[in-house]
Structure formats: structure tokens, C-alpha cells
């Protein structure tokens, strides 16, 4: 465990303890952990399994079934490119190729500086203004390579405030 993961076991235990009594507790626990940590650490799986009295394979099966759940720590920003038909009809394939080349990663990978994780998504509900990209909870439409480059520059630029 490195210094960035200090406190992770306590966080997992707290979330599991607070949600394990809910009906169908597995998904709320997984969402709680991912919302808090950004991913589901492998070490969380036996803790969840023990609390819910199910097997670790059951927990792992749910984590691996849903694309939403990540089992590796993402970069500081997760950039999701819409790959649905409407966005593809508006140039998402070319944007996808540009994004992969610009970031030097494929889908599911994180840039070497750990600033951006690139993920596919299959409809952001923003079809009229595709191709669309989501960063966190913000959806950006009419994305083209130039706008994508500006987005990446904004995400990777640290702004200093001078007093």
C-alpha cells in the first residue's frame, strides 16, 4: 500500500458498515466506495463479502459485470467519449482516434502522468449535439479535435493563485 492509499481500509469498512443492513446492499456499497475512492480496491472485495455473507466471487462478478465500476485507481480526471450511434454519425470515431493519439492511451488506460483516464461510454443522452464527452458530471457537446485539445489543456494545467 502506498501513501495515496492510506486510510482506504478504514474508508471501505466505514462505508460497508453503514450500508450493509440495507436491502440489496451490494450495489449501494459498491457505489459508495467508488464515489468516495474513485474505484473499488481489490482489498475491499473480501471485506464486502464477509459483511454481506456472500462469496468474494459474487462481489467480483458484480464489479466486473458493470462497466461503471472500476477496479483500478483512475487518473485525476475521467474523460468519457460517447460511442453511441448518434455521436458516431457526427464524427465520434475520428474524435476517438484523435483522443487516443493525443493522450497516448487506449480506452481504459490512464496517461503516464495519471492526469486523465479515457473511457468509452454508450450514450450520454446528448445526441443532438454530439459527439459528446463527459468529464466528471459535466457533459460537453459538439466536441471536435480542437475543442478536445483545449479540454485536455484545461484539465492538465495547474492554475496558481497569487495573493
Amino acid at each position: 500500500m502506498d501513501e495515496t492509499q492510506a486510510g482506504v481500509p478504514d474508508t471501505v469498512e466505514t462505508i460497508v458498515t453503514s450500508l450493509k443492513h440495507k436491502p440489496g446492499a451490494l450495489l449501494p456499497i459498491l457505489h459508495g466506495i467508488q464515489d468516495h475512492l474513485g474505484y473499488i480496491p481489490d482489498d475491499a472485495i473480501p471485506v464486502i463479502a464477509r459483511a454481506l455473507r456472500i462469496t468474494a466471487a459474487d462481489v467480483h462478478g458484480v464489479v466486473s459485470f458493470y462497466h461503471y465500476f472500476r477496479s483500478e485507481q483512475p487518473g485525476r480526471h475521467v474523460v468519457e467519449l460517447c460511442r453511441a450511434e448518434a455521436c458516431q454519425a457526427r464524427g465520434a470515431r475520428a474524435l476517438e482516434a484523435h483522443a487516443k493519439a493525443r493522450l497516448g492511451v487506449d480506452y481504459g488506460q490512464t496517461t503516464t502522468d495519471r492526469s486523465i483516464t479515457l473511457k468509452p461510454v454508450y450514450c450520454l443522452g446528448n445526441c443532438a449535439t454530439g459527439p459528446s464527452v463527459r468529464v466528471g458530471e459535466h457533459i460537453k457537446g459538439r466536441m471536435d479535435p480542437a475543442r478536445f485539445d483545449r479540454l485536455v489543456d484545461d484539465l492538465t494545467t495547474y492554475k496558481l493563485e497569487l495573493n
Side-chain angles (χ1 to χ4, degrees):
M1 178 181 305
D2 65 28
E3 65 202 29
T4 61
Q5 296 183 337
V8 168
D10 291 340
T11 299
V12 168
E13 192 68 44
T14 300
I15 292 168
V16 169
T17 301
S18 69
L19 297 172
K20 71 181 183 183
H21 302 294
K22 287 187 152 205
L26 181 55
L27 286 176
I29 288 171
L30 294 174
H31 279 280
I33 292 170
Q34 183 153 308
D35 288 349
H36 197 84
L37 300 175
Y39 72 113
I40 311 295
D42 288 341
D43 295 344
I45 290 176
V47 174
I48 297 166
R50 191 172 39 256
L52 298 181
R53 297 180 186 207
I54 59 178
T55 67
D58 290 335
V59 178
H60 177 75
V62 172
V63 171
S64 62
F65 178 78
Y66 292 105
H67 295 280
Y68 173 78
F69 294 122
R70 293 183 287 269
S71 57
E72 294 182 14
Q73 190 170 18
R76 282 191 354 260
H77 305 283
V78 176
V79 174
E80 297 172 299
L81 265 72
C82 184
R83 299 189 73 205
E85 289 80 4
C87 281
Q88 285 186 35
R90 295 175 172 268
R93 293 264 174 136
L95 178 62
E96 174 183 313
H98 176 80
K100 289 177 178 178
R102 167 70 199 268
L103 298 174
V105 298
D106 203 342
Y107 282 130
Q109 296 178 334
T110 301
T111 56
T112 54
D113 64 358
R114 305 224 31 95
S115 61
I116 296 175
T117 298
L118 184 64
K119 293 192 69 168
V121 64
Y122 297 94
C123 195
L124 293 170
N126 198 33
C127 304
T129 61
S132 298
V133 169
R134 179 171 54 197
V135 180
E137 296 181 7
H138 301 283
I139 297 174
K140 300 174 184 300
R142 296 188 173 88
M143 190 61 64
D144 60 25
R147 290 189 72 204
F148 185 83
D149 288 346
R150 284 194 300 273
L151 172 67
V152 170
D153 289 343
D154 287 345
L155 294 174
T156 57
T157 301
Y158 293 94
K159 296 173 182 137
L160 294 176
E161 291 185 25
L162 300 175
N163 294 326

mmCIF file of all heavy atoms in Angstrom, residues 8-22 25-26 28-30 32-33 40 43-53 59:
data_model
loop_
_atom_site.group_PDB
_atom_site.id
_atom_site.type_symbol
_atom_site.label_atom_id
_atom_site.label_comp_id
_atom_site.label_asym_id
_atom_site.label_seq_id
_atom_site.Cartn_x
_atom_site.Cartn_y
_atom_site.Cartn_z
ATOM 1 N N VAL A 8 -7.565 3.916 3.193
ATOM 2 C CA VAL A 8 -8.522 3.219 2.327
ATOM 3 C C VAL A 8 -9.238 2.096 3.082
ATOM 4 O O VAL A 8 -10.470 2.011 3.002
ATOM 5 C CB VAL A 8 -7.846 2.706 1.038
ATOM 6 C CG1 VAL A 8 -8.746 1.742 0.287
ATOM 7 C CG2 VAL A 8 -7.450 3.878 0.162
ATOM 8 N N PRO A 9 -8.522 1.246 3.829
ATOM 9 C CA PRO A 9 -9.250 0.183 4.552
ATOM 10 C C PRO A 9 -10.291 0.738 5.523
ATOM 11 O O PRO A 9 -11.393 0.188 5.621
ATOM 12 C CB PRO A 9 -8.150 -0.567 5.297
ATOM 13 C CG PRO A 9 -6.910 -0.311 4.498
ATOM 14 C CD PRO A 9 -7.068 1.092 3.974
ATOM 15 N N ASP A 10 -9.953 1.817 6.228
ATOM 16 C CA ASP A 10 -10.925 2.412 7.156
ATOM 17 C C ASP A 10 -12.130 2.973 6.403
ATOM 18 O O ASP A 10 -13.268 2.842 6.850
ATOM 19 C CB ASP A 10 -10.262 3.523 7.979
ATOM 20 C CG ASP A 10 -9.239 2.979 8.960
ATOM 21 O OD1 ASP A 10 -9.309 1.769 9.287
ATOM 22 O OD2 ASP A 10 -8.364 3.755 9.391
ATOM 23 N N THR A 11 -11.871 3.592 5.270
ATOM 24 C CA THR A 11 -12.961 4.152 4.463
ATOM 25 C C THR A 11 -13.885 3.043 3.981
ATOM 26 O O THR A 11 -15.116 3.162 4.071
ATOM 27 C CB THR A 11 -12.384 4.927 3.254
ATOM 28 O OG1 THR A 11 -11.578 5.987 3.748
ATOM 29 C CG2 THR A 11 -13.484 5.467 2.371
ATOM 30 N N VAL A 12 -13.305 1.972 3.472
ATOM 31 C CA VAL A 12 -14.102 0.846 2.995
ATOM 32 C C VAL A 12 -14.932 0.275 4.142
ATOM 33 O O VAL A 12 -16.140 0.047 4.001
ATOM 34 C CB VAL A 12 -13.205 -0.241 2.363
ATOM 35 C CG1 VAL A 12 -13.981 -1.534 2.130
ATOM 36 C CG2 VAL A 12 -12.593 0.272 1.068
ATOM 37 N N GLU A 13 -14.306 0.055 5.275
ATOM 38 C CA GLU A 13 -15.004 -0.519 6.433
ATOM 39 C C GLU A 13 -16.157 0.381 6.876
ATOM 40 O O GLU A 13 -17.251 -0.096 7.180
ATOM 41 C CB GLU A 13 -14.006 -0.742 7.583
ATOM 42 C CG GLU A 13 -14.544 -1.585 8.698
ATOM 43 C CD GLU A 13 -14.773 -3.042 8.302
ATOM 44 O OE1 GLU A 13 -13.899 -3.627 7.634
ATOM 45 O OE2 GLU A 13 -15.824 -3.577 8.662
ATOM 46 N N THR A 14 -15.928 1.677 6.895
ATOM 47 C CA THR A 14 -16.977 2.617 7.302
ATOM 48 C C THR A 14 -18.166 2.566 6.347
ATOM 49 O O THR A 14 -19.328 2.530 6.775
ATOM 50 C CB THR A 14 -16.404 4.049 7.360
ATOM 51 O OG1 THR A 14 -15.343 4.080 8.315
ATOM 52 C CG2 THR A 14 -17.469 5.061 7.740
ATOM 53 N N ILE A 15 -17.888 2.553 5.060
ATOM 54 C CA ILE A 15 -18.968 2.516 4.064
ATOM 55 C C ILE A 15 -19.729 1.196 4.155
ATOM 56 O O ILE A 15 -20.963 1.179 4.155
ATOM 57 C CB ILE A 15 -18.402 2.756 2.649
ATOM 58 C CG1 ILE A 15 -17.899 4.191 2.528
ATOM 59 C CG2 ILE A 15 -19.443 2.436 1.575
ATOM 60 C CD1 ILE A 15 -17.073 4.468 1.284
ATOM 61 N N VAL A 16 -18.998 0.101 4.255
ATOM 62 C CA VAL A 16 -19.643 -1.215 4.337
ATOM 63 C C VAL A 16 -20.516 -1.286 5.584
ATOM 64 O O VAL A 16 -21.677 -1.718 5.528
ATOM 65 C CB VAL A 16 -18.592 -2.344 4.317
ATOM 66 C CG1 VAL A 16 -19.227 -3.681 4.665
ATOM 67 C CG2 VAL A 16 -17.918 -2.408 2.951
ATOM 68 N N THR A 17 -19.989 -0.854 6.710
ATOM 69 C CA THR A 17 -20.738 -0.918 7.972
ATOM 70 C C THR A 17 -22.008 -0.067 7.907
ATOM 71 O O THR A 17 -23.063 -0.474 8.392
ATOM 72 C CB THR A 17 -19.846 -0.454 9.140
ATOM 73 O OG1 THR A 17 -18.703 -1.315 9.193
ATOM 74 C CG2 THR A 17 -20.593 -0.495 10.456
ATOM 75 N N SER A 18 -21.922 1.086 7.263
ATOM 76 C CA SER A 18 -23.084 1.979 7.231
ATOM 77 C C SER A 18 -24.174 1.515 6.263
ATOM 78 O O SER A 18 -25.333 1.911 6.411
ATOM 79 C CB SER A 18 -22.650 3.401 6.872
ATOM 80 O OG SER A 18 -22.218 3.462 5.528
ATOM 81 N N LEU A 19 -23.822 0.674 5.291
ATOM 82 C CA LEU A 19 -24.804 0.292 4.267
ATOM 83 C C LEU A 19 -25.177 -1.183 4.255
ATOM 84 O O LEU A 19 -26.106 -1.580 3.556
ATOM 85 C CB LEU A 19 -24.267 0.673 2.874
ATOM 86 C CG LEU A 19 -24.048 2.164 2.636
ATOM 87 C CD1 LEU A 19 -23.331 2.392 1.314
ATOM 88 C CD2 LEU A 19 -25.376 2.903 2.656
ATOM 89 N N LYS A 20 -24.483 -2.000 5.019
ATOM 90 C CA LYS A 20 -24.686 -3.449 4.895
ATOM 91 C C LYS A 20 -26.078 -3.918 5.316
ATOM 92 O O LYS A 20 -26.502 -5.003 4.923
ATOM 93 C CB LYS A 20 -23.613 -4.215 5.672
ATOM 94 C CG LYS A 20 -23.733 -4.130 7.179
ATOM 95 C CD LYS A 20 -22.618 -4.909 7.838
ATOM 96 C CE LYS A 20 -22.755 -4.896 9.345
ATOM 97 N NZ LYS A 20 -21.641 -5.598 9.987
ATOM 98 N N HIS A 21 -26.809 -3.136 6.061
ATOM 99 C CA HIS A 21 -28.141 -3.540 6.526
ATOM 100 C C HIS A 21 -29.249 -3.157 5.543
ATOM 101 O O HIS A 21 -30.394 -3.539 5.744
ATOM 102 C CB HIS A 21 -28.419 -2.940 7.904
ATOM 103 C CG HIS A 21 -27.404 -3.356 8.912
ATOM 104 N ND1 HIS A 21 -27.272 -4.665 9.337
ATOM 105 C CD2 HIS A 21 -26.427 -2.674 9.533
ATOM 106 C CE1 HIS A 21 -26.281 -4.759 10.190
ATOM 107 N NE2 HIS A 21 -25.745 -3.557 10.325
ATOM 108 N N LYS A 22 -28.909 -2.426 4.494
ATOM 109 C CA LYS A 22 -29.920 -2.044 3.505
ATOM 110 C C LYS A 22 -30.297 -3.261 2.657
ATOM 111 O O LYS A 22 -29.448 -4.105 2.369
ATOM 112 C CB LYS A 22 -29.373 -0.964 2.572
ATOM 113 C CG LYS A 22 -29.252 0.385 3.194
ATOM 114 C CD LYS A 22 -28.876 1.395 2.136
ATOM 115 C CE LYS A 22 -29.418 2.733 2.581
ATOM 116 N NZ LYS A 22 -29.639 3.625 1.491
ATOM 117 N N ALA A 25 -27.865 -4.578 -0.460
ATOM 118 C CA ALA A 25 -26.800 -3.659 -0.042
ATOM 119 C C ALA A 25 -25.567 -3.646 -0.952
ATOM 120 O O ALA A 25 -24.798 -2.684 -0.926
ATOM 121 C CB ALA A 25 -26.372 -3.990 1.388
ATOM 122 N N LEU A 26 -25.374 -4.682 -1.745
ATOM 123 C CA LEU A 26 -24.133 -4.762 -2.526
ATOM 124 C C LEU A 26 -23.939 -3.555 -3.441
ATOM 125 O O LEU A 26 -22.879 -2.927 -3.431
ATOM 126 C CB LEU A 26 -24.080 -6.056 -3.328
ATOM 127 C CG LEU A 26 -22.814 -6.257 -4.173
ATOM 128 C CD1 LEU A 26 -21.549 -6.144 -3.323
ATOM 129 C CD2 LEU A 26 -22.866 -7.588 -4.897
ATOM 130 N N PRO A 28 -25.390 -0.460 -3.401
ATOM 131 C CA PRO A 28 -25.121 0.795 -2.681
ATOM 132 C C PRO A 28 -23.717 0.838 -2.074
ATOM 133 O O PRO A 28 -23.070 1.888 -2.076
ATOM 134 C CB PRO A 28 -26.194 0.803 -1.578
ATOM 135 C CG PRO A 28 -27.314 0.000 -2.134
ATOM 136 C CD PRO A 28 -26.651 -1.083 -2.948
ATOM 137 N N ILE A 29 -23.227 -0.290 -1.576
ATOM 138 C CA ILE A 29 -21.868 -0.319 -1.023
ATOM 139 C C ILE A 29 -20.843 -0.052 -2.120
ATOM 140 O O ILE A 29 -19.926 0.762 -1.947
ATOM 141 C CB ILE A 29 -21.594 -1.670 -0.326
ATOM 142 C CG1 ILE A 29 -22.387 -1.748 0.974
ATOM 143 C CG2 ILE A 29 -20.098 -1.865 -0.076
ATOM 144 C CD1 ILE A 29 -22.361 -3.120 1.637
ATOM 145 N N LEU A 30 -20.997 -0.725 -3.259
ATOM 146 C CA LEU A 30 -20.041 -0.513 -4.351
ATOM 147 C C LEU A 30 -20.076 0.928 -4.846
ATOM 148 O O LEU A 30 -19.034 1.540 -5.091
ATOM 149 C CB LEU A 30 -20.320 -1.484 -5.496
ATOM 150 C CG LEU A 30 -20.077 -2.967 -5.178
ATOM 151 C CD1 LEU A 30 -20.539 -3.848 -6.339
ATOM 152 C CD2 LEU A 30 -18.619 -3.230 -4.843
ATOM 153 N N GLY A 32 -20.995 3.509 -3.083
ATOM 154 C CA GLY A 32 -20.422 4.342 -2.017
ATOM 155 C C GLY A 32 -18.907 4.333 -2.042
ATOM 156 O O GLY A 32 -18.263 5.380 -1.910
ATOM 157 N N ILE A 33 -18.346 3.161 -2.212
ATOM 158 C CA ILE A 33 -16.885 3.053 -2.248
ATOM 159 C C ILE A 33 -16.328 3.767 -3.477
ATOM 160 O O ILE A 33 -15.381 4.556 -3.383
ATOM 161 C CB ILE A 33 -16.452 1.573 -2.218
ATOM 162 C CG1 ILE A 33 -16.783 0.971 -0.847
ATOM 163 C CG2 ILE A 33 -14.951 1.436 -2.524
ATOM 164 C CD1 ILE A 33 -16.613 -0.543 -0.774
ATOM 165 N N ILE A 40 -12.986 0.562 -6.950
ATOM 166 C CA ILE A 40 -13.219 -0.479 -5.956
ATOM 167 C C ILE A 40 -11.890 -1.220 -5.762
ATOM 168 O O ILE A 40 -11.497 -2.015 -6.628
ATOM 169 C CB ILE A 40 -14.298 -1.491 -6.414
ATOM 170 C CG1 ILE A 40 -15.557 -0.797 -6.929
ATOM 171 C CG2 ILE A 40 -14.609 -2.484 -5.299
ATOM 172 C CD1 ILE A 40 -16.324 -0.014 -5.901
ATOM 173 N N ASP A 43 -8.726 -5.055 -2.274
ATOM 174 C CA ASP A 43 -8.804 -5.367 -0.846
ATOM 175 C C ASP A 43 -10.205 -5.151 -0.262
ATOM 176 O O ASP A 43 -10.500 -5.639 0.823
ATOM 177 C CB ASP A 43 -7.804 -4.526 -0.050
ATOM 178 C CG ASP A 43 -6.360 -4.868 -0.403
ATOM 179 O OD1 ASP A 43 -6.139 -5.939 -1.009
ATOM 180 O OD2 ASP A 43 -5.465 -4.071 -0.057
ATOM 181 N N ALA A 44 -11.051 -4.410 -0.970
ATOM 182 C CA ALA A 44 -12.408 -4.165 -0.476
ATOM 183 C C ALA A 44 -13.312 -5.374 -0.692
ATOM 184 O O ALA A 44 -14.292 -5.561 0.046
ATOM 185 C CB ALA A 44 -13.005 -2.943 -1.177
ATOM 186 N N ILE A 45 -12.992 -6.181 -1.667
ATOM 187 C CA ILE A 45 -13.883 -7.285 -2.033
ATOM 188 C C ILE A 45 -14.091 -8.279 -0.878
ATOM 189 O O ILE A 45 -15.237 -8.591 -0.554
ATOM 190 C CB ILE A 45 -13.405 -7.957 -3.336
ATOM 191 C CG1 ILE A 45 -13.655 -6.964 -4.483
ATOM 192 C CG2 ILE A 45 -14.118 -9.285 -3.589
ATOM 193 C CD1 ILE A 45 -13.173 -7.398 -5.826
ATOM 194 N N PRO A 46 -13.038 -8.768 -0.215
ATOM 195 C CA PRO A 46 -13.299 -9.686 0.906
ATOM 196 C C PRO A 46 -14.020 -9.019 2.070
ATOM 197 O O PRO A 46 -14.800 -9.668 2.773
ATOM 198 C CB PRO A 46 -11.903 -10.191 1.306
ATOM 199 C CG PRO A 46 -10.924 -9.318 0.636
ATOM 200 C CD PRO A 46 -11.609 -8.658 -0.507
ATOM 201 N N VAL A 47 -13.796 -7.736 2.274
ATOM 202 C CA VAL A 47 -14.485 -7.010 3.351
ATOM 203 C C VAL A 47 -15.987 -6.965 3.057
ATOM 204 O O VAL A 47 -16.813 -7.220 3.942
ATOM 205 C CB VAL A 47 -13.905 -5.575 3.512
ATOM 206 C CG1 VAL A 47 -14.705 -4.769 4.514
ATOM 207 C CG2 VAL A 47 -12.430 -5.629 3.870
ATOM 208 N N ILE A 48 -16.331 -6.669 1.834
ATOM 209 C CA ILE A 48 -17.739 -6.602 1.431
ATOM 210 C C ILE A 48 -18.365 -7.998 1.520
ATOM 211 O O ILE A 48 -19.469 -8.157 2.057
ATOM 212 C CB ILE A 48 -17.860 -6.050 -0.009
ATOM 213 C CG1 ILE A 48 -17.331 -4.623 -0.083
ATOM 214 C CG2 ILE A 48 -19.304 -6.126 -0.487
ATOM 215 C CD1 ILE A 48 -17.104 -4.131 -1.511
ATOM 216 N N ALA A 49 -17.652 -8.986 0.998
ATOM 217 C CA ALA A 49 -18.175 -10.356 1.001
ATOM 218 C C ALA A 49 -18.458 -10.838 2.421
ATOM 219 O O ALA A 49 -19.515 -11.410 2.688
ATOM 220 C CB ALA A 49 -17.184 -11.292 0.304
ATOM 221 N N ARG A 50 -17.529 -10.583 3.306
ATOM 222 C CA ARG A 50 -17.691 -11.016 4.703
ATOM 223 C C ARG A 50 -18.890 -10.317 5.356
ATOM 224 O O ARG A 50 -19.706 -10.940 6.019
ATOM 225 C CB ARG A 50 -16.396 -10.729 5.479
ATOM 226 C CG ARG A 50 -16.329 -11.345 6.840
ATOM 227 C CD ARG A 50 -14.945 -11.198 7.519
ATOM 228 N NE ARG A 50 -14.278 -9.922 7.311
ATOM 229 C CZ ARG A 50 -13.252 -9.726 6.462
ATOM 230 N NH1 ARG A 50 -12.778 -10.701 5.750
ATOM 231 N NH2 ARG A 50 -12.706 -8.529 6.331
ATOM 232 N N ALA A 51 -19.029 -9.026 5.112
ATOM 233 C CA ALA A 51 -20.125 -8.259 5.735
ATOM 234 C C ALA A 51 -21.486 -8.694 5.207
ATOM 235 O O ALA A 51 -22.476 -8.694 5.950
ATOM 236 C CB ALA A 51 -19.915 -6.766 5.490
ATOM 237 N N LEU A 52 -21.549 -9.054 3.933
ATOM 238 C CA LEU A 52 -22.836 -9.417 3.327
ATOM 239 C C LEU A 52 -23.085 -10.922 3.322
ATOM 240 O O LEU A 52 -24.126 -11.376 2.847
ATOM 241 C CB LEU A 52 -22.911 -8.874 1.894
ATOM 242 C CG LEU A 52 -22.837 -7.352 1.752
ATOM 243 C CD1 LEU A 52 -22.945 -6.950 0.296
ATOM 244 C CD2 LEU A 52 -23.905 -6.668 2.594
ATOM 245 N N ARG A 53 -22.080 -11.666 3.787
ATOM 246 C CA ARG A 53 -22.180 -13.132 3.830
ATOM 247 C C ARG A 53 -22.430 -13.720 2.443
ATOM 248 O O ARG A 53 -23.337 -14.535 2.233
ATOM 249 C CB ARG A 53 -23.243 -13.584 4.823
ATOM 250 C CG ARG A 53 -22.904 -13.168 6.222
ATOM 251 C CD ARG A 53 -23.949 -13.616 7.183
ATOM 252 N NE ARG A 53 -23.611 -13.054 8.486
ATOM 253 C CZ ARG A 53 -23.959 -13.592 9.614
ATOM 254 N NH1 ARG A 53 -24.662 -14.696 9.635
ATOM 255 N NH2 ARG A 53 -23.629 -13.032 10.748
ATOM 256 N N VAL A 59 -19.040 -10.841 -5.304
ATOM 257 C CA VAL A 59 -18.730 -9.400 -5.320
ATOM 258 C C VAL A 59 -17.931 -9.057 -6.580
ATOM 259 O O VAL A 59 -18.257 -8.106 -7.296
ATOM 260 C CB VAL A 59 -17.951 -8.977 -4.055
ATOM 261 C CG1 VAL A 59 -17.596 -7.491 -4.107
ATOM 262 C CG2 VAL A 59 -18.749 -9.302 -2.798
#
